[in-house]
């Protein structure tokens, strides 16, 4: 979404958890990795900063230093509060859809991180969805007042949160939002942007 | 702090919880209330929007629509996540320092809101301080990268969080932050601003 925002052409390469050797040349063990000519950057935040720095004349992901610091806070909050909550909803669906080659690595690394089995971490799924919706509480009043978290148009804060929803629909049919939730309409706006780029991606329909 | 930021002269009027008649003419039952000539506004967020709208040529509390929407999110988060956590730390100190006339009102209204006694709400105070520090987690990486939550200089997001610390030190000697916490240095920067305006206010020293 950040590359679409910048209007930059790109090729997206499918990648599996255990294909560490494919990204090792770029000094990363995790995705995303951006390769731009002879430059490479990993980590979504670092990639966003890189894009605005190297392509300053294209639409900005951050409106200025103030918006960038506040977007940094938003991303920190999303990673610490929303990501664990959505992961609990998705974890068993992710595991189920993984390539056989990745299953052992995924299970081992995540069970070590959580200190419990995937099934224990997933727990009661109705409760997990309710907790995920609850974690999003501070977002709602902002989206009642503004079309996007970044105001009139989307910025990097929008893409960070939207990315979690897009990740969800690639693996899980779970209905994450009710249609009367202001976050539902916001997600729809982002799904439709850039000629429906996110909407056309493989995944379960969000209205399921 | 918002008025200092705008460079506007003002008179601050002491006020007690039960002095509802003093703010009734301004259609509010809670503070803050700003009276500006024949205009009045209540609620800190509404006051901040008013100040930037009516005094656009003075320093802005919000750098633009993007920063304003992201600051809105920050305030929603602070009110929902930080305020309840700091209130648990402060509640008994607040009650103790209230004017006799306000004690019954405060106890009744708060015990009704919490669904428990003030003492039960305060609970284990070591745990309350730890929970408060934990609630601030997403702020720290931002303040490692930036002098203020709003980037190079303070904005409304900074003042909203700082106001909670300033409120704390007017009533409580509790040490809220350790000196090696990046939030500690940020608070100090704000205490020193505007010729030490916040630092000179009555209260316990923060280095206690």
């Amino acid at each position: 979404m950040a590359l679409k925002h910048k209007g930059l052409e790109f090729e997206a390469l499918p990648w599996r958890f255990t294909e560490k050797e494919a990204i090792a040349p770029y000094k990363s063990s995790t995705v995303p990795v951006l390769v731009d000519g002879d430059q490479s950057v990993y980590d979504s935040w670092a990639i966003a900063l890189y894009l605005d720095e190297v392509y300053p004349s294209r639409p900005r992901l951050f409106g200025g230093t103030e918006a960038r610091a506040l977007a940094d806070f938003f991303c920190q909050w999303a990673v610490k509060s929303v990501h664990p909550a959505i992961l609990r909803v998705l974890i068993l669906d992710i595991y189920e859809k993984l390539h056989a080659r990745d299953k052992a690595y995924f299970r081992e690394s995540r069970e070590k991180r959580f200190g419990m089995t995937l099934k224990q971490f997933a727990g009661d799924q109705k409760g997990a969805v309710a907790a995920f919706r609850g974690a999003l509480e501070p977002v709602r009043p902002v989206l009642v007042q503004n079309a996007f978290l970044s105001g009139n148009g989307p910025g990097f804060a929008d893409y960070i949160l939207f990315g979690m929803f897009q990740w969800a629909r690639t693996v899980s049919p779970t209905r994450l939002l009710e249609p009367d939730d202001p976050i539902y309409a916001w997600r729809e706006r982002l799904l439709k942007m850039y000629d429906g780029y996110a909407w056309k991606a493989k995944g379960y329909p969000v209205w399921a």
Side-chain angles (χ1 to χ4, degrees), chain A residues 53-167:
Chain A
E53 196 191 318
V54 176
Y55 301 97
S57 61
R58 290 169 177 270
R60 299 282 187 141
L61 288 161
F62 308 103
T65 51
E66 181 178 351
R68 189 174 60 220
L70 291 166
D72 188 1
F73 171 79
F74 183 87
C75 294
Q76 298 291 343
W77 168 81
V79 166
K80 286 184 175 75
S81 300
V82 186
H83 188 268
I86 199 170
L87 188 55
R88 220 187 118 200
V89 177
L90 303 180
I91 193 87
L92 296 179
D93 284 321
I94 296 173
Y95 183 73
E96 190 200 308
K97 286 179 184 63
L98 282 178
H99 191 279
R101 202 201 292 165
D102 278 13
K103 287 199 169 186
Y105 164 82
F106 184 85
R107 179 186 281 279
E108 268 171 46
S109 59
R110 269 54 181 179
E111 292 189 343
K112 193 178 163 193
R113 189 195 297 170
F114 307 146
M116 59 183 94
T117 67
L118 300 186
K119 212 163 170 193
Q120 284 168 331
F121 179 72
D124 155 43
Q125 282 288 291
K126 272 199 177 173
V129 171
F132 168 70
R133 290 177 183 172
L136 291 169
E137 202 45 60
V139 162
R140 293 190 177 90
V142 182
L143 293 178
V144 167
Q145 295 295 328
N146 304 273
F148 295 96
L149 293 165
S150 309
N152 303 323
F156 193 66
D158 294 272
Y159 300 137
I160 275 291
L161 186 61
F162 179 72
M164 295 188 192
F165 283 103
Q166 189 69 351
W167 173 47

Side-chain angles (χ1 to χ4, degrees), chain A residues 27-39:
Chain A
K27 316 263 182 280
S28 186
S29 61
T30 54
V31 289
V33 175
L34 176 78
V35 183
D36 184 21
D38 57 2
Q39 299 265 50

